[in-house]
Amino acid sequence: MPSGKMFKAGLAATISTIPFSVQAEPVELRHESGLVTISGEILSFDGTTLMVATSAGDVSVPAAEVTCAGNDCPEGVKLSAIEEAVSIAVMSPENLSLAQSYLTTTTATSSRSARAGDTVVINETQDQIAKVSFVPSAQSDQGDIIITNVISDAAAANRTGTIAEWTLGSTPTQMLAIKALSVVTSPEIGVDHISMPELSQVLAGEITNWSQLGGNDLNIIPIQAAAGTRLHADVQAVVLDPARKPASPMVFSMADANAIMTGLTTLPGGMSIVPTEMVGASNTLDIIDSCGVTHAATDFEIRAGDYPLTVPTLAVHNTPLETQVMHAAFDKAASVGIPDMFEEADFSPHTLMQLPTDDKDWRVANIMSQQLDADQKQSAIKLIQLLANAQQLSAAFTDGELTQTEGAWTRAHFVRLRDAIQSGVLDDKEIHFVGFHAQNIGADAVLSTQTAAENILAAFQAFAPDAANRPNVTLAASGYGHLGATGCLPNGATTARDTRIEIWTRPAG
């Protein structure tokens, strides 16, 4: 506050009026009703009443009924919230509906009807407000934030960054929702898994018989949702586009996923891709990731980001914003759980959960069955001791330079872990950041995974210092080379990250 001001709000009643410098800057006083705004220079403040010089003359204003905006607002008067106009561009009508419905049901203080161009007012904190307008998809490059499902190869190549940049930077990419897809088939094909490259080859007409995948001598009849549907676009984006392959003209089209599921019951050799949430007891294929690890579309694998066949809905920040309102609003999606609000949209659960006991037992048995040298045996003993009374949480990370999608996964996992710690459910627990390598073995791999785990831990401490410093929670990092590795995380469209960091918790002490 400039020198020359001589006021202290709320002093004893003997101080009746405190004068201001004649060089005071104008301020804006906003009435709590939102209907009246007064602009002018503050002449005096006695702790209760403001005397303001306006263009219409001196005005007496009750301080308790207004907020103040400006450099010369006196102590004792509530400051007005910072208001920021934010434009959100959408890449599809479905994304527009999702974004507007989410913001208006979970974060908005007021809103208008959900149509492009209308405004949603978000007040995530007491001193920051965002007034959000939605830009039609035809103008999607004009938004401060873009809501999209797929980051193009060109954009992904141009937007990589460290974990700190994606979690603490001014232009993050945030996870709004996840939709998992499953490969469903007709019965008796003789195949129980398929890789992403093989899946694209089937849809492109390059693999035409199940025997080419180790199955029965039966022609593959691929089916897709009709062009123009969201499912058709999702499959194109996550299967064919990354492989740079067009769909074969021999692929059958059906109206929607319901029609596909009905058709597969009577069509020998049939195969299609539908939302995981609707497959039920149908015959499905597990997916092999880029590191050669097989994944089923379980809740845990989807939430951890390990299951490869997923379609994320992302909030991509194009320009730095003055406030943190939108960051906080979209971070909330990682905790509240989009499926709970939009069950009809086939979104997959993505909040934090524990690894089922049977899966943990399998991991321990797998480690014990490996042929290990003396150094590896020592690491294996330490790892088994950790896993024996620990629970894995559905959060997995990768170190180093991250793509936009990886950055969004990382931030979402940080948010979930932060909120779990702050809720108290992890009180009296040790939280271990545990590093693995999918391929390399030996002492170098142990050291590199230890370093990677320490990097993720440090990034989390910077992102959520209050949670990281909670008195009754202990954080630690360790690395075990290739022991116990269960997969890798995707890096862009065609390669994979071999180093992964998992979160395990166990009782403290």
Side-chain angles (χ1 to χ4, degrees):
M1 200 170 292
S3 61
K5 296 215 176 20
M6 301 170 52
F7 60 83
K8 290 186 179 179
L11 289 181
T14 53
I15 303 178
S16 58
T17 302
I18 301 175
F20 280 67
S21 166
V22 294
Q23 297 179 350
E25 297 180 12
V27 299
E28 185 177 82
L29 300 177
R30 302 167 186 170
H31 192 265
E32 58 189 9
S33 67
L35 301 177
V36 178
T37 298
I38 298 173
S39 297
E41 296 180 4
I42 296 179
L43 300 176
S44 64
F45 175 46
D46 63 4
T48 302
T49 303
L50 292 156
M51 186 61 68
V52 185
T54 73
S55 59
D58 296 350
V59 177
S60 177
V61 180
E65 297 180 8
V66 297
T67 60
C68 182
N71 292 329
D72 281 350
C73 294
E75 296 178 14
V77 179
K78 184 178 179 180
L79 298 179
S80 299
I82 299 173
E83 293 188 4
E84 181 174 32
V86 179
S87 60
I88 296 182
V90 290
M91 301 302 288
S92 69
E94 293 85 356
N95 284 340
L96 173 63
S97 176
L98 170 64
Q100 291 189 317
S101 297
Y102 166 70
L103 292 174
T104 56
T105 56
T106 62
T107 65
T109 55
S110 62
S111 64
R112 300 176 187 172
S113 59
R115 294 191 304 270
D118 287 344
T119 300
V120 176
V121 179
I122 302 173
N123 185 8
E124 279 294 311
T125 65
Q126 292 298 315
D127 59 352
Q128 295 183 349
I129 294 174
K131 292 186 175 180
V132 179
S133 60
F134 294 90
V135 180
S137 57
Q139 304 169 11
S140 59
D141 59 340
Q142 299 179 16
D144 297 317
I145 299 171
I146 294 178
I147 306 297
T148 184
N149 296 103
V150 178
I151 305 297
S152 68
D153 288 346
N158 292 330
R159 285 291 309 276
T160 60
T162 65
I163 291 173
E165 289 170 333
W166 287 124
T167 56
L168 300 175
S170 59
T171 55
T173 297
Q174 295 175 269
M175 188 79 70
L176 182 56
I178 282 288
K179 181 179 292 186
L181 303 177
S182 287
V183 180
V184 290
T185 71
S186 303
E188 300 180 358
I189 61 170
V191 172
D192 56 15
H193 58 260
I194 191 170
S195 69
M196 293 295 286
E198 289 169 341
L199 191 55
S200 67
Q201 288 175 291
V202 170
L203 294 179
E206 298 170 3
I207 294 177
T208 58
N209 194 288
W210 287 110
S211 63
Q212 295 175 261
L213 299 174
N216 299 330
D217 184 9
L218 183 67
N219 287 335
I220 300 175
I221 302 178
I223 308 169
Q224 64 180 348
T229 63
R230 178 62 176 269
L231 179 57
H232 181 96
D234 288 344
V235 172
Q236 180 73 33
V238 300
V239 179
L240 290 168
D241 286 350
R244 294 176 171 81
K245 295 180 183 295
S248 167
M250 302 304 294
V251 176
F252 286 90
S253 290
M254 290 189 174
D256 54 28
N258 289 319
I260 290 172
M261 296 297 291
T262 301
L264 287 174
T265 62
T266 59
L267 194 63
M271 186 213 78
S272 189
I273 301 173
V274 300
T276 299
E277 295 300 302
M278 65 180 301
V279 299
S282 302
N283 190 57
T284 61
L285 302 185
D286 294 342
I287 306 296
I288 302 174
D289 71 15
S290 301
C291 292
V293 180
T294 301
H295 299 278
T298 64
D299 276 353
F300 187 88
E301 298 237 10
I302 294 168
R303 296 179 198 219
D306 288 334
Y307 181 68
L309 198 54
T310 57
V311 184
T313 302
L314 304 174
V316 181
H317 293 249
N318 280 332
T319 56
L321 299 176
E322 182 181 2
T323 72
Q324 294 292 307
V325 173
M326 299 312 301
H327 299 130
F330 286 125
D331 277 345
K332 187 178 290 186
S335 290
V336 299
I338 287 292
D340 296 337
M341 295 182 290
F342 306 104
E343 294 180 359
E344 74 285 355
D346 296 322
F347 292 115
S348 301
H350 60 280
T351 49
L352 209 62
M353 69 174 288
Q354 290 185 347
L355 178 72
T357 301
D358 289 346
D359 292 337
K360 188 182 81 167
D361 293 344
W362 174 87
R363 292 192 69 174
V364 173
N366 183 53
I367 296 168
M368 296 177 65
S369 67
Q370 297 181 34
Q371 296 295 320
L372 306 174
D373 61 27
D375 291 337
Q376 292 170 334
K377 286 180 180 178
Q378 291 300 315
S379 293
I381 291 172
K382 293 179 181 179
L383 178 56
I384 291 173
Q385 289 174 340
L386 168 63
L387 302 186
N389 64 342
Q391 293 290 337
Q392 184 185 353
L393 302 182
S394 57
F397 305 93
T398 187
D399 191 22
E401 288 286 311
L402 306 181
T403 65
Q404 287 184 278
T405 302
E406 289 173 333
W409 272 107
T410 296
R411 186 182 180 107
H413 287 323
F414 275 4
V415 169
R416 294 163 193 155
L417 182 58
R418 177 199 68 191
D419 292 351
I421 292 174
Q422 292 179 332
S423 73
V425 299
L426 297 179
D427 281 356
D428 303 318
K429 292 285 197 306
E430 295 177 357
I431 302 174
H432 288 259
F433 290 68
V434 185
F436 299 101
H437 201 287
Q439 298 178 21
N440 289 352
I441 61 175
D444 288 345
V446 172
L447 180 60
S448 67
T449 53
Q450 170 82 29
T451 301
E454 291 171 350
N455 290 341
I456 300 296
L457 171 54
F460 176 71
Q461 290 171 323
F463 177 77
D466 290 344
N469 294 317
R470 189 175 175 90
N472 43 0
V473 171
T474 302
L475 304 182
S478 55
Y480 297 94
H482 80 293
L483 295 173
T486 59
C488 59
L489 297 179
N491 173 22
T494 58
T495 61
R497 298 292 180 86
D498 295 333
T499 303
R500 60 183 277 117
I501 296 88
E502 299 173 354
I503 303 297
W504 288 77
T505 70
R506 66 179 179 183

